[in-house]
Amino acid sequence: MPVIAVEHPLIAHKLTTLRDRRTDSKLFREIVAELTLLLAYEATRDLPTRARHIETPVTGTQGTALANKDFVIAPILRAGLGMLPGLHTLLPSARVAHLGLRRDEVTKKPATYYFNYPDHLRNATVFVLDPMLATAGSLCAGIDLLKANKPERIIAICLIASPEGARRVEETHPEVKVFTSAMDERLNEHAFIVPGLGDAGDRLFGTSA
Ligand code: PRP
């Protein structure tokens, strides 16, 4: 499945504010949640539906309901936590799987430090949230952890992506659709996305130097 860069004026505008180094932590958190909600609108576009009969105050009519409401949101800690409110707004009954992964600063490889997921993922559609698709090591490791529990479907949402990361996730997990607000230029020598937005976790939680 391709990595899908969603083109929309609101997404482009909000992403630019997110990239701006002057954007403070409070505004950064708000925009991360808003961007996630906008991306989730696209990421949920092909969810299956069923007919549902209702009575309006005027007459009976055939409406539409989601065919399966078994949703799980899986933020990759820490920075994926900033995306959780955006998706929870749209899918309020979704359960949450926490994926604790930290990218080693030297090797750039992710290490798992926490994994807490709800029971019974077999019928679930899982939305994995990772703000930065850099080398894609974290997203691929998170998807591996989830796949061991055999969910029905996995969809990923990333705020920004690198071409290198996009290629890797497409090769490693070809059935997983990834929605992003921008495909950036490249990774630099530190495996940071360029132009990027800095370290999403630090900017969300005020831990930068
Ligand atoms: C960052 C980011 C992604 C990951 C991306 O997290 O939030 O999860 O790196 O890099 P990758 O695609 O090369 O794996 P980090 O490990 O810095 O942890 P944090 O969210 O706790 O800041």
Side-chain angles (χ1 to χ4, degrees):
M1 288 282 179
V3 173
I4 299 146
V6 181
E7 292 187 14
H8 191 288
L10 281 176
I11 290 178
H13 179 91
K14 288 176 188 295
L15 178 61
T16 300
T17 306
L18 205 64
R19 292 189 194 277
D20 190 334
R21 65 185 308 162
R22 296 169 304 177
T23 297
D24 67 12
S25 211
K26 176 177 183 287
L27 183 57
F28 194 91
R29 284 194 299 276
E30 289 167 0
I31 294 178
V32 166
E34 290 168 1
L35 268 178
T36 305
L37 190 149
L38 292 169
L39 291 171
Y41 181 76
E42 280 302 311
T44 52
R45 185 175 285 282
D46 66 354
L47 290 181
T49 58
R50 62 176 174 81
R52 181 181 163 226
H53 182 84
I54 52 155
E55 299 286 331
T56 77
V58 180
T59 185
T61 189
Q62 197 83 302
T64 302
L66 293 170
N68 174 8
K69 296 214 305 185
D70 188 354
F71 299 117
V72 169
I73 306 173
I76 295 184
L77 310 187
R78 276 175 311 170
L81 284 176
M83 301 172 72
L84 180 59
L87 200 48
H88 241 164
T89 300
L90 285 187
L91 306 174
S93 64
R95 299 175 292 158
V96 178
H98 291 85
L99 310 181
L101 292 162
R102 186 184 300 109
R103 192 174 84 159
D104 184 277
E105 286 185 8
V106 178
T107 67
K108 311 303 177 201
K109 294 209 166 77
T112 307
Y113 60 87
Y114 187 66
F115 182 37
N116 186 327
Y117 59 94
D119 292 337
H120 314 302
L121 294 189
R122 281 187 182 272
N123 293 320
T125 299
V126 182
F127 294 88
V128 191
L129 307 180
D130 190 0
M132 320 286 290
L133 188 67
T135 68
S138 302
L139 182 64
C140 289
I143 293 172
D144 281 339
L145 288 168
L146 291 163
K147 273 189 177 174
N149 295 278
K150 300 189 170 31
E152 185 171 293
R153 186 176 176 199
I154 298 175
I155 299 168
I157 302 178
C158 300
L159 298 181
I160 58 172
S162 73
E164 296 90 333
R167 268 195 301 279
R168 180 168 172 189
V169 74
E170 282 169 8
E171 286 167 12
T172 315
H173 297 289
E175 78 289 6
V176 174
K177 271 190 186 173
V178 182
F179 292 83
T180 186
S181 31
M183 184 68 70
D184 273 14
E185 288 167 21
R186 61 185 170 86
L187 293 179
N188 69 13
E189 63 277 22
H190 305 294
F192 285 167
I193 300 174
V194 178
L197 47 78
D199 185 311
D202 285 343
R203 295 192 69 186
L204 278 165
F205 301 119
T207 47
S208 56

